[in-house]
Amino acid sequence: MAAIQDIHEAPAHAGAKAGFFALALGSIGVVYGDIGTSPLYAFREAMVAASGGPAGIDPANVFGVLSLILWTLTIIVTLKYVVVLLRADNHGEGGTLTLLALAQHALGRAVPVVTLIGALGAALFFGDALITPAISVLSAVEGLKLVTNALDPYILPVTTGIILGLFLIQRRGTAAVARWFGPLTLIWFAVMAVGGALQILQDPSILSAISPLHALRFLQDNGTVGLVALGSVFLAVTGAEALYADLGHFGRRPIQAAWLVVAFPSLALNYLGQGVLVLNAPEKIENPFFLLYPDWALLPVVMLATIATIIASQAVITGAYSLTSQAIRLRLLPRMRVLHTSAEHAGQIFMPAVNAMLLVGVLMLVLLFGSSSRLASAYGIAVTGTMVVTALLAIIVLRCHWRWPLWAALGLMVPFLAVDLVFLGANMMKVFDGGVVPLLIAGAVIVLMRGWMRGTTLLEDKAQRSDVPLKLILDRLEKEPPTLVAGTGVYLTAQPDLAPVSLMHMLKHFKALHAHNVILTIITADVPRVPDDERIDMVEINSLFRRVTMRFGYMEEPNVPHGLGLCRKLGWKFDIMSTSFLLSRRALRPASSSAMPAWQRALFFVLSRNATNASDYFHIPAGLVVEIGAQVNL
């Protein structure tokens, strides 16, 4: 482990504005909200898979399942994420797409196979983002039927109402309530720990489940049934990926402390307590979590569980916004509308299109499956798949980016990869029992990403072949100077060596140019954030033109006016009120022959038409934008 110390520390900015304990408390609510609600259903589903019901409860199975859960939490969460991956950051940021950016940087180019692996990880996360709110809220509300059977018919309506309310408030932002996430989730972990500890006191022998021998014996004795149960055991670590994805928000040490001091001990106590309960009263396997508590505490615990699942769902929804935003900047998805919900925190965003798709998907899952037990069969595949992707990308980053010897990179990550693959195989046994749902969701997202990447690549290749080199135009303008008008014209282009279509149309139709002209190219860097003093590169081409390259990190909002304002430090007196931004808008038409299949081309056309226009995406004032269209056959 000593070699890992060379990997970058978590960011300084994570702790600059808040103290260590405040960050640790915040991480309890955001980072561990999802995994903190797993005890609602994980042990129950694993025991049902292992035993088939109350009549089949075998003490050996109880000890075996508990041992599997505890060691899964230890190996995957504690060792893989808390100890290892939290150190593998990109300037303080973590997550699947962060590893993809690091891998692409290390390889020096976008290798299709590596890009596809990263896109698959992102696609699987969207499947997780749909299932998490559905199963978490359902499992909490189902506790109502333990209060009284008369509430059973209201479980689905109440769940639907909570989910509708959760998604409808997203537009208003969560800054006002987010400060309560940490304290409320801390109370939730305390309640879980107390409920479990009281049961353990009745039968301390349950502590022997800590021994891995029970887990090994369970898998050896149960064959296929053991593998099926292993797939349900993995429900205990759903949400583990959030440890890595939220690294930039809280920093490595606060996340590690919150896990080791609060989350892990509370989860372990609760699972062991559920084990004691089921050993003493097998019929309570129907809902062992809520039955840990006396009747007088049942309703308050159900209410607290509902709040905890709402917090967990909020973290996943916010994660979907962030991941989509990163995917757009890494050119995996078309531009989408992004709204900021907080003036103080740039990372708090709302994406209407993503929110609408998540709402429809979550409600469909709730109504289609109807119970958390049925949804549990659909859960797991997306999470295990994401973890496999993370391990594969980590090997590439360790070997190519941090220049580890191949044996060291493989020696560190292959054992974790092997564990992930075992769990993936166990979960794949549930494909025909609901597990196909996350695969279909991920498949649909991959089709969208693949279609978008293929279409944009073909458009760029076509531009390289057909567009006019900028140097040729500049040479011609020196020989035949155009009519000049006052002000500045900024031409946005992805190909700085080629003449923008909008520039060609200005010369062709208006026979005039502005007195000052800028060829502006915006680049997404392979780091999360770019300092202002490294954001701008400016080169004066001649008396009429200058070339400006503007760099933004893949986690930043690209703000062109702000970037151009930085040019003043480089000697250019930029005045936005006398500036026109000239954008090229492509009108796509089907060509008689195309390198894309007809269905994929049609998909790309739909995505292009619905993409957010460049002026909104780059925060350019609408009154300063001139769009000039051009038809392109593809």
Side-chain angles (χ1 to χ4, degrees):
M1 277 315 147
I4 306 177
Q5 297 291 343
D6 295 332
I7 298 178
H8 299 297
E9 281 283 339
H13 68 265
K17 295 182 180 180
F20 177 86
F21 292 105
L23 288 169
L25 181 61
S27 70
I28 289 173
V30 175
V31 177
Y32 298 112
D34 190 0
I35 198 171
T37 58
S38 297
L40 289 168
Y41 47 81
F43 177 74
R44 178 191 69 201
E45 297 305 321
M47 283 305 305
V48 168
S51 307
I57 296 294
D58 183 335
N61 287 348
V62 174
F63 280 85
V65 166
L66 285 174
S67 182
L68 281 171
I69 289 175
L70 295 175
W71 281 98
T72 300
L73 289 169
T74 300
I75 294 172
I76 292 182
V77 183
T78 307
L79 295 180
K80 179 183 176 182
Y81 282 96
V82 172
V83 175
V84 177
L85 282 181
L86 283 184
R87 299 172 182 268
D89 66 283
N90 185 1
H91 293 265
E93 298 293 344
T96 300
L97 291 185
T98 285
L99 281 179
L100 173 60
L102 279 175
Q104 289 178 338
H105 174 76
L107 296 170
R109 55 194 173 90
V111 178
V113 173
V114 175
T115 302
L116 183 61
I117 292 174
L120 178 61
L124 287 167
F125 177 85
F126 285 112
D128 183 24
L130 285 171
I131 298 176
T132 293
I135 190 172
S136 297
V137 177
L138 253 179
S139 60
V141 177
E142 282 171 350
L144 290 174
K145 63 184 178 184
L146 299 177
V147 178
T148 170
N149 288 330
L151 295 176
D152 197 9
Y154 299 99
I155 289 175
L156 277 181
V158 170
T159 301
T160 303
I162 291 173
I163 290 171
L164 271 171
L166 177 63
F167 280 96
L168 289 176
I169 66 168
Q170 295 302 314
R171 180 180 293 272
R172 298 182 177 273
T174 58
V177 296
R179 66 175 64 95
W180 296 100
F181 286 1
L184 286 170
T185 309
L186 180 61
I187 294 172
W188 168 248
F189 276 116
V191 169
M192 284 198 298
V194 169
L198 292 176
Q199 292 292 328
I200 294 171
L201 290 175
Q202 298 180 29
D203 187 1
S205 67
I206 197 69
L207 294 174
S208 67
I210 296 173
S211 169
L213 295 177
H214 290 289
L216 296 174
R217 194 176 298 120
F218 173 82
L219 293 176
Q220 180 181 349
D221 295 343
N222 287 276
T224 303
V225 172
L227 284 177
V228 174
L230 191 63
S232 297
V233 163
F234 196 82
L235 295 171
V237 295
T238 54
E241 187 75 13
L243 275 78
Y244 188 35
D246 288 314
L247 174 60
H249 295 138
F250 301 100
R252 175 166 63 89
R253 296 191 182 281
I255 291 176
Q256 290 175 326
W259 171 253
L260 295 173
V261 176
V262 176
F264 192 14
S266 299
L267 291 170
L269 287 171
N270 190 269
Y271 283 121
L272 290 168
Q274 289 188 51
V276 172
L277 182 74
V278 169
L279 284 174
N280 293 333
E283 70 278 1
K284 293 187 176 182
I285 191 60
E286 177 190 2
N287 207 323
F289 177 86
F290 286 114
L291 294 174
L292 284 174
Y293 304 93
D295 292 342
W296 61 265
L298 195 54
L299 186 57
V301 171
V302 170
M303 295 174 65
L304 182 60
T306 304
I307 293 171
T309 56
I310 290 172
I311 293 172
S313 301
Q314 178 62 56
V316 172
I317 294 167
T318 304
Y321 298 156
S322 299
L323 189 74
T324 304
S325 182
Q326 291 179 41
I328 290 169
R329 294 187 187 96
L330 292 173
R331 305 180 69 187
L332 301 177
L333 289 171
R335 293 188 299 262
M336 298 182 196
R337 189 181 180 202
V338 178
L339 302 176
H340 290 267
T341 59
S342 172
E344 292 80 21
H345 304 285
Q348 292 189 11
I349 60 174
F350 170 69
M351 303 186 73
V354 177
N355 193 67
M357 288 186 285
L358 287 176
L359 172 59
V360 172
V362 171
L363 288 179
M364 286 181 62
L365 288 175
V366 168
L367 298 176
L368 180 65
F369 286 87
S371 73
S372 60
S373 291
R374 294 182 63 193
L375 258 173
S377 298
Y379 214 15
I381 292 179
V383 183
T384 51
T386 303
M387 290 183 176
V388 169
V389 167
T390 300
L392 290 172
L393 289 175
I395 292 173
I396 298 172
V397 169
L398 291 173
R399 175 69 184 97
C400 300
H401 186 73
W402 282 297
R403 306 296 181 186
W404 281 30
L406 182 60
W407 64 266
L410 293 177
L412 179 63
M413 293 308 302
V414 164
F416 296 123
L417 178 60
V419 173
D420 293 337
L421 288 172
V422 168
F423 277 108
L424 179 61
N427 277 280
M428 291 299 288
M429 298 179 70
K430 301 187 292 185
V431 164
F432 298 107
D433 190 25
V436 71
V437 171
L439 294 179
L440 291 175
I441 295 169
V445 175
I446 283 290
V447 168
L448 289 176
M449 289 182 171
R450 178 60 181 161
W452 180 253
M453 289 188 290
R454 180 64 175 153
T456 52
T457 300
L458 290 176
L459 278 180
E460 290 176 359
D461 292 344
K462 189 177 182 66
Q464 290 280 5
R465 295 192 305 268
S466 60
D467 288 0
V468 180
L470 179 63
K471 187 178 185 307
L472 185 63
I473 297 299
L474 297 181
D475 291 343
R476 185 177 302 172
L477 289 175
E478 285 188 2
K479 297 176 183 177
E480 303 174 15
T483 302
L484 299 181
V485 297
T488 300
V490 179
Y491 298 87
L492 270 71
T493 178
Q495 305 285 343
D497 296 325
L498 301 177
V501 173
S502 52
L503 173 61
M504 298 297 291
H505 280 274
M506 280 287 291
L507 294 170
K508 178 179 179 181
H509 297 291
F510 304 116
K511 308 295 191 296
L513 283 178
H514 290 85
H516 305 282
N517 299 276
V518 175
I519 305 298
L520 175 61
T521 302
I522 299 170
I523 295 175
T524 298
D526 52 20
V527 295
R529 294 176 183 83
V530 175
D532 278 350
D533 57 357
E534 299 176 12
R535 192 176 305 285
I536 302 296
D537 288 324
M538 185 171 66
V539 177
E540 191 164 337
I541 303 173
N542 57 32
S543 59
L544 286 180
F545 282 86
R546 67 185 71 222
R547 181 182 286 114
V548 174
T549 302
M550 197 175 295
R551 298 170 69 244
F552 292 95
Y554 59 82
M555 296 191 73
E556 290 184 289
E557 288 294 315
N559 190 313
V560 167
H562 171 74
L564 290 177
L566 298 174
C567 292
R568 296 189 182 98
K569 297 180 180 179
L570 302 178
W572 175 36
K573 295 181 180 179
F574 170 71
D575 179 13
I576 194 169
M577 298 312 297
S578 62
T579 299
S580 298
F581 293 86
L582 298 107
L583 311 182
S584 306
R585 178 179 285 273
R586 294 188 181 98
L588 301 178
R589 297 177 58 184
S592 55
S593 62
S594 174
M596 300 177 74
W599 67 268
Q600 193 178 57
R601 182 176 61 182
L603 174 64
F604 180 69
F605 284 6
V606 170
L607 293 176
S608 297
R609 283 195 296 269
N610 289 279
T612 300
N613 61 59
S615 59
D616 289 341
Y617 186 73
F618 294 120
H619 299 279
I620 303 172
L624 304 179
V625 174
V626 178
E627 290 191 345
I628 301 176
Q631 290 188 346
V632 179
N633 294 327
L634 185 65

